[in-house]
Amino acid sequence: MDHNYQLANQEFVQFLRSHRSVNPADLEHAILMHGVGIRIPQIVDLQAYQAGGHNKMGYTEKDLRNAVDQFHRNALEVDSQSRLDYQYFGDVLVFDSTYRTNAYRKPLVILAGVNHHYVTTIFGCALIADETEDTYKWVLETFLEAMEKKTPISVVIDGDGAMRNAIKAVIPYACHRLCAWHLKRNVVANTNKGFVLDFDVAMDMFCSHEEFERRWHLPVEKHNLKDNQWVVDLYNKREKWAAAFLRGHFFAGMKSTQRSEQLNATAHK
């Protein structure tokens, strides 16, 4: 039977949709390179060079991009129990990155909360390459995508600036609370013993804003800390750690990331 259309030349057959495919070795290689920040076009150029030319690869840049994207979509499949727990108990999210693991001391981000028995519940975790705002945004966006877009109403964080900015960008309506344990540790390092006791009182007082101001400024003056820049910066963030300003916000009884850090300590033993 004669064909009523012109057949593709042999050298172009591999580019027909029915013949194109990314072999597993090339895909794995591409995923590894993409994971460290190399862009798909650069990966294609490298693989074409290794194959002896684009015409010998058997796939196009679009094919490789689709295959890598599909891999990442498949990677979003998380433990069903964690997803179920988050749907029930994910109104308050503890976001902690203080633990360093493996020989390279990379941060392990733990996303956790508490269940109806006030037992620590792990919703997810991520081993990240750095602690930049973009990386934290990626963690949050990926986590929320895996959790069917459910966003928490409150977040407890360890005080990292990049983390705070990422949360503002990805979960703008969530109320942020700075970890009380980290604050107390930093107060000890940046002030004096007398002020530490006054800070504990000021942080936990359920009182009016006016009463808080009075209970804050008196000890600051008494301990000669008016010119202490760290104390000034802490005061400027009072709406994120003082109980007087957090009244009416739900945190499920949590004011520290210590729950996840206890798990870190157990994992490190």
Side-chain angles (χ1 to χ4, degrees):
M1 179 181 294
D2 294 332
H3 293 281
N4 58 4
Y5 55 88
Q6 185 176 356
L7 296 177
N9 293 335
Q10 184 64 36
E11 59 184 304
F12 298 122
V13 168
Q14 61 177 323
F15 295 112
L16 297 176
R17 180 177 298 180
S18 59
H19 289 68
R20 295 199 315 259
S21 65
V22 182
N23 67 68
D26 284 348
L27 177 59
E28 183 176 355
H29 186 218
I31 289 169
L32 289 173
M33 290 192 292
H34 195 249
V36 295
I38 301 176
R39 299 172 62 248
I40 294 294
Q42 296 171 309
I43 297 173
V44 170
D45 287 343
L46 174 60
Q47 293 185 336
Y49 174 79
Q50 293 173 329
H54 287 274
N55 62 329
K56 296 182 179 179
M57 290 173 59
Y59 54 88
T60 65
E61 178 182 322
K62 183 177 180 180
D63 295 329
L64 183 63
R65 188 182 300 278
N66 290 340
V68 172
D69 288 345
Q70 184 61 52
F71 171 83
H72 289 308
R73 284 194 295 272
N74 293 340
L76 287 178
E77 297 179 2
V78 295
D79 179 70
S80 58
Q81 186 60 53
S82 295
R83 297 182 70 181
L84 183 63
D85 287 341
Y86 182 74
Q87 294 306 313
Y88 283 116
F89 311 117
D91 287 339
V92 182
L93 182 67
V94 173
F95 195 116
D96 176 48
S97 65
T98 57
Y99 182 56
R100 300 296 186 276
T101 187
N102 72 40
Y104 301 100
R105 295 185 60 78
K106 296 299 184 184
L108 175 67
V109 173
I110 294 179
L111 301 125
V114 292
N115 63 18
H116 55 305
H117 296 298
Y118 205 60
V119 174
T120 301
T121 301
I122 301 299
F123 303 133
C125 59
L127 188 63
I128 57 179
D130 55 52
E131 296 176 278
T132 62
E133 182 178 336
D134 285 341
T135 296
Y136 284 133
K137 285 173 65 176
W138 175 84
V139 170
L140 283 170
E141 289 167 351
T142 304
F143 174 75
L144 294 179
E145 184 175 349
M147 295 301 180
E148 300 179 355
K149 306 295 185 181
K150 172 184 169 67
T151 57
I153 61 175
S154 302
V155 183
V156 182
I157 59 178
D158 60 22
D160 179 86
M163 183 188 295
R164 292 201 306 271
N165 292 337
I167 293 173
K168 289 178 184 178
V170 179
I171 321 174
Y173 301 108
C175 180
H176 305 173
R177 183 171 198 156
L178 296 178
C179 171
W181 184 84
H182 283 90
L183 289 176
K184 290 181 179 181
R185 185 178 65 177
N186 290 330
V187 167
V188 171
N190 292 279
T191 64
N192 54 59
K193 185 176 181 180
F195 182 75
V196 170
L197 299 176
D198 291 320
F199 171 77
D200 286 348
V201 173
M203 180 172 63
D204 294 330
M205 282 195 313
F206 285 98
C207 61
S208 66
H209 295 179
E210 294 75 17
E211 178 64 13
F212 171 83
E213 299 293 339
R214 186 183 70 83
R215 295 294 294 267
W216 174 263
H217 291 295
L218 285 176
V220 167
E221 294 180 2
K222 180 177 69 175
H223 297 288
N224 298 315
L225 295 170
K226 290 179 62 176
D227 297 325
N228 183 308
Q229 189 57 50
W230 186 88
V231 173
V232 172
D233 292 340
L234 180 63
Y235 171 76
N236 290 335
K237 296 183 289 190
R238 60 194 180 281
E239 294 181 354
K240 298 189 182 303
W241 55 263
F245 294 89
L246 291 170
R247 289 187 302 173
H249 295 285
F250 179 64
F251 285 96
M254 293 185 290
K255 61 180 183 179
S256 170
T257 61
Q258 272 287 279
R259 285 182 170 269
S260 58
E261 285 164 8
Q262 289 169 358
L263 292 171
N264 289 335
T266 301
H268 192 61
K269 290 180 180 179

